[in-house]
Amino acid sequence: MIAETARTGDLTDERVAVALYAVIGALLCTAWLVFFAYLARHPDLTHDEVDELYFARERPRALIGVVLYLAAGAAGVLVHPLVASVVFLILPVFYGLTSHGQHRWRRALRIDDGATPRAGR
């Protein structure tokens, strides 16, 4: 939808398209936020292998999505639709990099060759 409106060259249509896309993205992330919150409160609904705190740790990812989709939509309407489009392209990369959980991603970024011990390990 965004690409189609960009081809028309009508800035108003582009702004409506990014606003709609932002709302849909935020609603999807809100659904995950609710889902993660529910499972965090009901760990008995998950497999025994799932870490008890996994869903509690995953809620910030969903919240980040809600905030960024809405902020991108606002920027796309108020500034320029291209701003929103850039954020919309970055968000799947963020979710791809953190798909195994933020704690694993953060840990992976801190991995060194083992030659220098780090404080707090």
Side-chain angles (χ1 to χ4, degrees):
M1 177 174 62
I2 293 173
E4 188 62 35
T5 58
R7 283 188 214 130
T8 67
D10 185 343
L11 198 55
T12 302
D13 285 349
E14 289 180 56
R15 287 185 167 136
V16 170
V18 296
L20 182 60
Y21 191 91
V23 168
I24 291 169
L27 288 173
L28 289 169
C29 290
T30 301
W32 281 108
L33 186 60
V34 171
F35 180 67
F36 288 153
Y38 187 81
L39 288 175
R41 289 190 315 272
H42 298 87
D44 54 304
L45 297 175
T46 63
H47 289 284
D48 292 334
E49 302 85 37
V50 176
D51 179 12
E52 191 173 300
L53 298 175
Y54 176 78
F55 294 105
R57 286 190 306 253
E58 289 302 297
R59 284 185 286 186
R61 286 179 69 227
L63 186 58
I64 288 169
V66 171
V67 170
L68 289 180
Y69 273 113
L70 292 176
V77 169
L78 300 173
V79 179
H80 195 280
L82 186 59
V83 175
S85 296
V86 170
V87 176
F88 295 156
L89 290 173
I90 292 171
L91 275 166
V93 173
F94 164 74
Y95 282 116
L97 290 173
T98 63
S99 64
H100 292 289
Q102 284 184 343
H103 64 285
R104 287 186 188 172
W105 182 60
R106 287 180 187 148
R107 201 175 339 154
L109 290 176
R110 285 187 239 136
I111 292 178
D112 59 15
D113 61 358
T116 312
R118 292 191 171 170
R121 273 193 167 175

